[in-house]
Structures are given as C-alpha cells and as structure tokens.
Amino acid sequence: MIIDCHGHYTTAPAAHTAWREEQVAAWQAGTTPPPYPSISDDEIRETIESSQLRLMDARGVDLTVFSPRASAMAHHVGDAAVSLEWARRCNDLVHRVTTLFPDRFVGVAQLPQSPGAPVEGSVAELRRCVEELGFVVCNLNPDPGGGYFQHPPLTDAYWFPIYEAMCELEVPAMIHVSGSCNPAMHATGGYYLAADTVAFMQLLQGDLFSRFPNLRLIIPHGGGAVPYHWGRYRGLADMLKQPDIETHLMNNVFFDTCVYHQPGIALLADVIENKNILFGSEMVGAVRGIDPQTGHYFDDTKRYIDALDISDHEKHMIFEGNARRVYPRLDAILKERGL
Amino acid sequence: MIIDCHGHYTTAPAAHTAWREEQVAAWQAGTTPPPYPSISDDEIRETIESSQLRLMDARGVDLTVFSPRASAMAHHVGDAAVSLEWARRCNDLVHRVTTLFPDRFVGVAQLPQSPGAPVEGSVAELRRCVEELGFVVCNLNPDPGGGYFQHPPLTDAYWFPIYEAMCELEVPAMIHVSGSCNPAMHATGGYYLAADTVAFMQLLQGDLFSRFPNLRLIIPHGGGAVPYHWGRYRGLADMLKQPDIETHLMNNVFFDTCVYHQPGIALLADVIENKNILFGSEMVGAVRGIDPQTGHYFDDTKRYIDALDISDHEKHMIFEGNARRVYPRLDAILKERGL
C-alpha cells in the first residue's frame, strides 16, 4: 500500500477560493463576509478526479493524507476570528473529500493560528477535526506571521497547549509554514525550506521530547536542508552538549520525501534512518512541471524511491509502515477496513 | 595549490573582542568607547599559528581567503557609525594577518552594514579594503537585521550601489549573514542555511545578472538547501518562466564546500557543475569537533573532496582553479608571485 503523507487540496472549487477573498475584503472593510457558498458534491468530485486522484492513479498512490492548501492557510491575514472561520471552512471541505472518497483520502487539520495569538485557540478546532471529522494529523505553522520568524521556537511553552492536545488525541503535526508576506521570501522556494531547517535546529537546541515523549513531528520537504547538512547537525549537537541526534530527536521527528530529484532522495535515504522517512509528494503543489532530464513529473517522488537500492522491506516502511506508526489514527482506520 | 575560500578569524586576540564589548556598551550608554587597544604582532601570530595555521598545515591547505568572524559582524548591533568603526577595526586586524603571513592569507572585507541603512555606506570601506589593504572579496550580509529577514531581496535596487562597486573593483561577495538576535533562529544551525537558501531563490526569481553580468556571488555552506533540492529549483524556474538555472544563474553564482559529511559533498559534486564549486571549510568555525563516525574533524572538508570519484582536473578546479577565476584579484596576486 502506498500512502502519500503530504498532499494539499490546491484545486479546491473556485467558489471556496472566491469566498476567502470576500472574507478577507470584508475583514479589511470592517464588514460582514457573505455566507459561505453552496458547493455541490459533483463540483468537489470534479476537482479531485481531474487532478489529485488522476495523478494518484497514474503514479500508483493508494491513499493521500490530505490537507487544505498550505500556502492559502495565510495565518498572517486577518485576525484570530478570520483564521478560525477560514480554517473551519477549509477543514469541512477536506472532510467532504474524505467522505466522497473514503478509500483514497484521510484528512489533515488546518489550525486557526494567528500572529501572536495564543495557540490555545487552535485546540478546539483540532479536537473537532479529529473527533468529529476523523482527521489523523494537523499542519502546525511555526511562523504564523508569514515570513519574518517572529514567533517563539517550537520548544517554547507557547506551543505546549497544542502539543498536549496532540498527545492526548494521538495525532502528530506536520510543521508547515504557509504563504509568505515577505517580499524577500518566496514561499515554496525559500520560505518552506528555510522554516523546515530552522524548525529542526530549534528541536536540536531544546529538550522538547523529554516533556512530550509521544509527540511526533513531521518536517516536510525532505527536512529542508537538514539531511544534506547532517554532519553539521551531528557536530552541532556535540558542540552544544546535547545528546546524539538519533536518541534526542529521531524517535519523534520524521522527514517526508518531497525532494524533486533522484540524487536528493538518494541522499535522504542514505543519511537518514529509513524508519524516519515518510513517503510524500506535496502534490498537486509546489512544482507542477515535467523534468526535461527524466521526462517525468518533478513531484512524482514515488519513482525516486522505487529506484533506490534499498530492500523491499525498507521501501514498504517508507511507503506505508512508517506512516501507520506515526499516524496511529490512520492505522486504526486502515485496520478497521481489514488493511 | 589548495585555496580555502571560507575562513574566519574566530580566534582574534582577546583585546580586540573585549574592545568590541566596550564599544557596544558605550553606544548603549551614549558615551564614547575607549581607544582601540594596542595588539602586538606576536599576539596575532600566536592566535593564528596555534589554530588556523596549524589546522591548515595539518590538512594541507595552502592559502585561506580570510575574513573577520562572520557571527561577530553583528550588523544588527548599534548603528551605522558603530558598524563602520567595528568593520574598520576588524578589517585592519585581518590585514595585519595577511601582512604577517602573506603566503597563507588574503583578506575578505567586512562591510559596515546597518539595518535599514543605505548600502552606499559600505562602498567606501570596500574600496579601502580592496585598494589599500589588498583584499579580494567581501562578505555581504543579506539580512543585517539579524534573523528577521526584513531587508529587500538581493535583486532589489537597494543593493545596486555595492554591486556597482564590486564590479568596478572586480571583487565578488560571499552572501553571509551574521549572528542572530532572533531567539527562534540559531545562527550556524538555522539562520545561515536558511539565509543561503532564501538568497538563492531571490536570485532565481529576479534578473540580477542581466544588469550586472560580471557580478559574482558565492553562497556559502554548500548553498544551504539548494543542491539537495536542485530538482525543486529547476522546476520552479520552469514554473516561474525563468530561463534555466544554468544560463540564468550559474555563470555568476558559486557554492562552497562547507558541508560536513561525505554524502553531502558527494551530492554537491554530483548535482552542481564543478565549475561552480569552491573549496571552503568555514574553519575555525561553526563545528569544531571530531566526527566519531570518521575520527576526523567535521570541518576537514578537504578529505571529502579528496574522496570524491572525480578527475584530478575537477579536483584541481574545486581546490584552486575556480577560486582564481571567481576572485580575479587573488589570481593576480598569485601570478605576481609566479604561482
């Protein structure tokens, strides 16, 4: 079974996206946004079948852990009330996808974070998504300000309320920033990878998993710069008199495979223990084109893993086994189905 | 000949470092700093011979392109006048090193940048360093605010005055941030790699080298996350309808080899054309320890290049040839010496 841990609903119905613009305009004008539009099941089916599902089928992906579009979370826009309303709409929409295609999608919660707002405000929506909508993980934005890194490190007590809820609910988080409002910071080419890298170093400096031994965090985009600089991190752990990374972090931190060329994936699988690698593609997403060097889509990351010189068991763990361990609620859903 | 393009004077005499503290304290108190201390040649010799030069000899490095300590540039501290005074002191100190050990060190200019201050303020000091002190390159800080990324992208006209001076003087810049004043951003483990990555994406989005075809920029620390995510960048160039990276950027952008393990260096040399790779170690610097997996220093990056399965000619280019091309003033110095 092939589980893609990193898919975004980037082809959401136009009415959904248009409503968001109206919501933001209303907030800016100090007025009330229009009611959320009615969107038919057929519209949702169409947006899924023509893109995400078509690509999943073409590439042999059975199930996608599916979230609202990450760059559109835009926690830096509006205030906490705007973010809450938007998160609920996005999560409800993803829930409809998971209801229409229950065998192919499980949901990821967008949290209603807002710059400087206490993260407590996200706990209720996380709980709703997990307990009522059947979601198995959330996206936690380490920089809800949108590109200026003005929030406390992930090891700070600021974040503890959401970690406590995650541990109680048995859901992990993918540490995923949203769009950038910083003109110096391109979202998918600069900000995402910078934030991934910075997040890992925050964890290395701290001692978060002593306090939350069951907390599990996925750092997307192949862990940012981290595997490429694994020697630097091993050395820094030593210099900072921290325990070695394997025992300090790697029971709780996982990297996905959203790295869009064979040499990158080869390095990832070479340097990082395969138990810490989750298959992901980030599609339909950051990079949509076909690599002229291979003739295949850049983000068809399954091909890169298929081509690795590792055992079938290791591939199975990257494609399925690790995900079932890291997302216990996903494992429970699959077991219920006899899978 | 082995040329290390990335060395910092991290073992500067204690009196120099203590004076900086007094300078900052005076600025905070609104008073005048004490006079800069007298530092003897013997003191400088001692700090170099006992560390940088000892390590260069042990590792077979002939010449280091040597800059003031990057993390101590601290452009975010004080104001433009404080930065100017500090940059001049640091550059003069490095100049003394290059005078005491002319065969082993050439100088890199620290620029007197200051948050939000026009970069014109750095041109005179660059000119002094190049024309009077014989320096061959400068360190340009893309985020003089120290970790909040509040400055315009490197493609913005804000930066053009320093680029014009660099082109006129025929000196490249290493794009190198300084210490972080952001508690969420560890300098050498988060900030450096994030800034490297963000800088490359800024260049990819823009069209800087059409305007400055002779401008050359070195992105340190192996290019941050870039080579590991080379497929992402090739794909983003395509999505953004930019020319392919090789023609758009890679006549002007270079990566060093400050990547502290063999798999990382192997990926760098595999993915990036070797004409764009400059040998560098960042020593005595970010990671000082010995890798228990190899028994050698993490930052003994020469070993990793020696171990690559590439031709002797390619190694020669990485160790010497590319540096002489990218730093024409260094080439001229060496030619004058019959090298």
Side-chain angles (χ1 to χ4, degrees):
Chain A
M1 183 169 193
I2 310 292
I3 300 171
D4 183 341
C5 80
H6 190 169
H8 298 301
Y9 195 6
T10 54
T11 60
H16 170 81
T17 308
W19 181 81
R20 167 63 168 176
E21 287 179 22
E22 293 170 329
Q23 186 209 21
V24 171
W27 178 76
Q28 285 165 340
T31 58
T32 305
Y36 186 80
S38 165
I39 295 171
S40 71
D41 284 354
D42 279 350
E43 273 180 275
I44 293 174
R45 271 197 205 93
E46 154 66 18
T47 62
I48 291 290
E49 285 172 350
S50 65
S51 68
Q52 196 86 28
L53 203 54
R54 181 177 57 77
L55 291 167
M56 285 166 64
D57 287 341
R59 300 177 188 183
V61 175
D62 297 299
L63 187 145
T64 292
V65 183
F66 201 50
S67 74
R69 182 176 201 156
S71 65
M73 297 190 296
H75 296 119
H76 56 277
V77 173
D79 57 17
V82 167
S83 267
L84 177 58
E85 177 76 0
W86 175 232
R88 290 179 67 102
R89 296 304 184 182
C90 290
N91 290 329
D92 286 347
L93 189 67
V94 163
H95 178 241
R96 290 182 64 189
V97 174
T98 67
T99 306
L100 289 168
F101 303 94
D103 296 339
R104 308 303 297 276
F105 295 98
V106 295
V108 180
Q110 172 176 329
L111 299 179
Q113 296 176 250
S114 193
V119 80
E120 276 91 340
S122 292
V123 171
E125 179 61 6
L126 175 64
R127 198 175 290 281
R128 184 182 80 92
C129 288
V130 173
E131 294 179 343
E132 298 176 27
L133 309 184
F135 289 13
V136 302
V137 53
C138 62
N139 282 336
L140 181 65
N141 184 345
D143 179 34
Y148 295 98
F149 294 95
Q150 288 165 326
H151 284 71
L154 290 167
T155 50
D156 190 274
Y158 170 83
W159 303 99
F160 290 177
I162 196 78
Y163 298 153
E164 283 160 9
M166 287 165 53
C167 290
E168 181 207 324
L169 294 166
E170 289 203 289
V171 294
M174 181 172 279
I175 302 300
H176 202 309
V177 290
S178 183
S180 162
C181 60
N182 182 341
M185 191 90 69
H186 184 273
T188 52
Y191 187 30
Y192 282 18
L193 304 180
D196 300 336
T197 307
V198 167
F200 185 83
M201 188 62 200
Q202 291 171 356
L203 299 173
L204 190 153
Q205 281 186 275
D207 188 24
L208 188 62
F209 303 115
S210 289
R211 188 178 187 108
F212 297 102
N214 298 319
L215 183 67
R216 285 179 299 275
L217 304 176
I218 300 113
I219 299 187
H221 320 109
V226 172
Y228 174 48
H229 287 281
W230 198 237
R232 174 176 288 254
Y233 290 100
R234 290 196 290 107
L236 283 170
D238 178 55
M239 272 177 80
L240 296 171
K241 304 196 189 316
Q242 293 288 60
D244 78 280
I245 298 178
E246 289 300 335
T247 53
H248 185 46
L249 300 180
M250 299 313 276
N251 294 312
N252 304 81
V253 174
F254 305 86
F255 300 140
D256 75 14
T257 64
C258 298
V259 177
Y260 294 154
H261 62 155
Q262 191 69 49
I265 291 287
L267 176 123
L268 175 67
D270 178 24
V271 167
I272 303 300
E273 275 197 58
N274 292 351
K275 73 178 176 59
N276 295 93
I277 301 175
L278 304 179
F279 171 63
S281 72
E282 199 186 354
M283 67 106 172
V284 181
V287 175
R288 295 171 191 235
I290 289 174
D291 186 346
Q293 294 183 8
T294 65
H296 299 291
Y297 284 101
F298 282 107
D299 64 0
D300 186 357
T301 54
K302 180 169 174 293
R303 285 182 174 275
Y304 309 133
I305 296 154
D306 286 338
L308 288 177
D309 184 23
I310 58 176
S311 71
D312 286 349
H313 175 71
E314 286 176 293
K315 288 181 188 174
H316 163 75
M317 294 309 286
I318 291 173
F319 281 132
E320 176 186 348
N322 295 336
R324 295 180 73 145
R325 188 164 44 84
V326 174
Y327 306 72
R329 283 179 176 268
L330 171 61
D331 186 53
I333 290 170
L334 296 175
K335 280 195 176 129
E336 221 168 75
R337 295 178 191 161
L339 295 168
Chain B
M1 184 171 194
I2 311 292
I3 300 171
D4 183 341
C5 80
H6 190 168
H8 298 301
Y9 194 7
T10 53
T11 60
H16 170 82
T17 309
W19 180 82
R20 167 63 168 176
E21 286 177 23
E22 293 171 330
Q23 186 209 22
V24 171
W27 177 76
Q28 286 165 339
T31 57
T32 305
Y36 187 80
S38 164
I39 296 171
S40 70
D41 285 354
D42 279 349
E43 273 180 275
I44 293 174
R45 271 197 205 94
E46 155 66 19
T47 62
I48 291 289
E49 285 172 350
S50 66
S51 69
Q52 196 85 28
L53 203 55
R54 181 177 57 79
L55 292 167
M56 286 166 64
D57 287 341
R59 299 176 189 184
V61 174
D62 297 299
L63 187 145
T64 292
V65 183
F66 200 51
S67 74
R69 183 175 201 157
S71 64
M73 298 190 296
H75 296 120
H76 56 277
V77 173
D79 57 18
V82 167
S83 267
L84 178 58
E85 177 77 0
W86 176 232
R88 291 179 67 102
R89 296 305 184 183
C90 289
N91 290 328
D92 286 345
L93 189 68
V94 164
H95 178 241
R96 290 182 65 188
V97 174
T98 67
T99 307
L100 290 169
F101 302 95
D103 297 338
R104 309 303 297 276
F105 296 98
V106 295
V108 181
Q110 171 176 329
L111 299 179
Q113 297 175 250
S114 193
V119 79
E120 276 91 340
S122 292
V123 171
E125 179 62 5
L126 175 64
R127 198 176 289 282
R128 184 182 80 92
C129 287
V130 174
E131 294 180 342
E132 297 177 26
L133 309 185
F135 287 13
V136 302
V137 53
C138 62
N139 282 336
L140 181 65
N141 184 344
D143 180 32
Y148 295 98
F149 293 95
Q150 288 165 326
H151 283 70
L154 291 168
T155 50
D156 190 274
Y158 170 83
W159 303 99
F160 289 178
I162 196 78
Y163 298 154
E164 284 160 8
M166 286 165 55
C167 290
E168 180 206 325
L169 294 166
E170 291 203 289
V171 294
M174 181 172 279
I175 303 299
H176 203 309
V177 292
S178 182
S180 162
C181 60
N182 182 341
M185 192 89 68
H186 184 272
T188 51
Y191 187 30
Y192 282 17
L193 303 180
D196 300 337
T197 308
V198 167
F200 185 83
M201 187 63 200
Q202 292 171 355
L203 299 174
L204 191 154
Q205 280 187 275
D207 189 25
L208 188 63
F209 303 116
S210 289
R211 188 178 187 107
F212 297 103
N214 298 319
L215 183 67
R216 286 180 298 274
L217 303 177
I218 300 113
I219 300 187
H221 320 109
V226 173
Y228 175 49
H229 286 283
W230 198 237
R232 173 176 289 254
Y233 290 100
R234 290 195 292 106
L236 283 170
D238 179 55
M239 273 178 79
L240 297 171
K241 304 196 189 314
Q242 293 287 61
D244 78 278
I245 299 177
E246 289 299 335
T247 53
H248 184 47
L249 300 180
M250 300 313 275
N251 295 312
N252 304 82
V253 174
F254 304 86
F255 300 140
D256 75 13
T257 64
C258 298
V259 177
Y260 295 153
H261 62 154
Q262 190 69 47
I265 291 288
L267 176 124
L268 174 68
D270 179 24
V271 167
I272 304 300
E273 276 197 58
N274 291 351
K275 73 179 176 59
N276 295 93
I277 302 174
L278 304 179
F279 170 62
S281 72
E282 199 187 355
M283 66 107 169
V284 181
V287 175
R288 296 171 190 234
I290 289 174
D291 186 346
Q293 294 182 7
T294 66
H296 300 290
Y297 284 101
F298 283 107
D299 66 358
D300 187 357
T301 55
K302 181 168 173 294
R303 285 181 173 275
Y304 309 134
I305 297 154
D306 286 339
L308 289 176
D309 184 22
I310 59 175
S311 70
D312 285 350
H313 175 71
E314 287 176 293
K315 287 181 189 175
H316 164 74
M317 294 310 286
I318 291 172
F319 282 132
E320 175 185 349
N322 296 336
R324 294 181 73 147
R325 187 163 45 84
V326 175
Y327 307 72
R329 283 178 177 267
L330 171 60
D331 186 52
I333 290 170
L334 295 175
K335 279 195 175 128
E336 221 168 75
R337 294 179 192 161
L339 294 169

